[in-house]
Amino acid sequence: MLRVLGSAAVEGSGEVSGIIPVQYVKGGISFKDGYLYSKPGIDGRIRLQNAGDLMGGIPGSRAGQVDFVLAALKDFSYDWVRFTINSDLKEDAAQIKMEMYGHPTVPIPFTYQNGTFMRVQGATGMKRPIQLTLNFKLPLNALISSLKGVQKLKDTLQQ
């Protein structure tokens, strides 16, 4: 998902399982009430680098929160992760919710003040456990293209 958003430097490890119902209607693929979740007791990791491009277009009031999340995801060890996915063919959009619980592997230079996260220069930073919830609205065709198995299914159905 993060690669679809434009962050080319994403890597991670972990296992997920679940169901993503795929519907093929009039030449289009959609997803309804799909979910994936990590296996209990199996930790995972996400490393996100060069995420500055993901900040484009974020309103100033939300920029601190997004900056905090991106800093945490530079090297994040999670205990569990859950995804839900739905799509709308009319909008060519996929709505994806990603929730995870874990901690940054190194302290990140933030503090929580007045209801928001603030970057603090020279501070030791935070490393305590956090729960992150990320909501994405992605172009459906771009998402399908990034999921090679789904793209092969679509190509097969169109033949």
Side-chain angles (χ1 to χ4, degrees), residues 23-155:
Q23 295 178 324
Y24 183 76
V25 180
K26 297 181 183 176
I29 287 184
S30 67
F31 307 104
K32 180 145 177 75
D33 298 328
Y35 62 90
L36 297 170
Y37 54 90
S38 59
K39 292 185 177 186
I42 300 177
D43 299 345
R45 204 144 176 195
I46 294 176
R47 289 179 201 89
L48 174 65
Q49 301 299 317
N50 304 324
D53 293 343
L54 296 175
M55 291 285 290
I58 304 292
S61 63
R62 296 261 193 220
Q65 293 173 328
V66 174
D67 190 26
F68 172 77
V69 169
L70 294 178
L73 290 178
K74 281 185 179 178
D75 197 351
F76 191 78
S77 177
Y78 64 82
D79 297 330
W80 57 261
V81 63
R82 285 189 293 245
F83 297 89
T84 57
I85 181 170
N86 287 286
S87 65
D88 184 345
L89 281 174
K90 293 176 187 170
E91 289 185 25
D92 183 40
Q95 295 86 31
I96 300 169
K97 181 177 184 179
M98 178 180 176
E99 299 173 278
M100 66 182 92
Y101 179 81
H103 60 85
T105 60
V106 296
I108 55 176
F110 283 84
T111 186
Y112 188 75
Q113 295 176 355
N114 302 322
T116 190
F117 291 100
M118 306 281 292
R119 187 176 283 272
V120 179
Q121 299 299 325
T124 56
M126 297 173 55
K127 190 181 171 183
R128 65 176 176 249
I130 54 177
Q131 182 171 335
L132 299 174
T133 301
L134 300 113
N135 292 296
F136 301 94
K137 189 170 187 178
L138 303 174
L140 185 57
N141 285 318
L143 179 63
I144 289 171
S145 295
S146 72
L147 302 171
K148 291 176 179 41
V150 176
Q151 184 63 45
K152 286 180 185 176
L153 173 65
K154 183 177 180 181
D155 293 345

Side-chain angles (χ1 to χ4, degrees), residues 7-24:
S7 179
V10 179
E11 65 179 63
S13 62
E15 290 184 40
V16 293
S17 59
I19 297 172
I20 300 178
V22 178
Q23 295 178 324
Y24 183 76

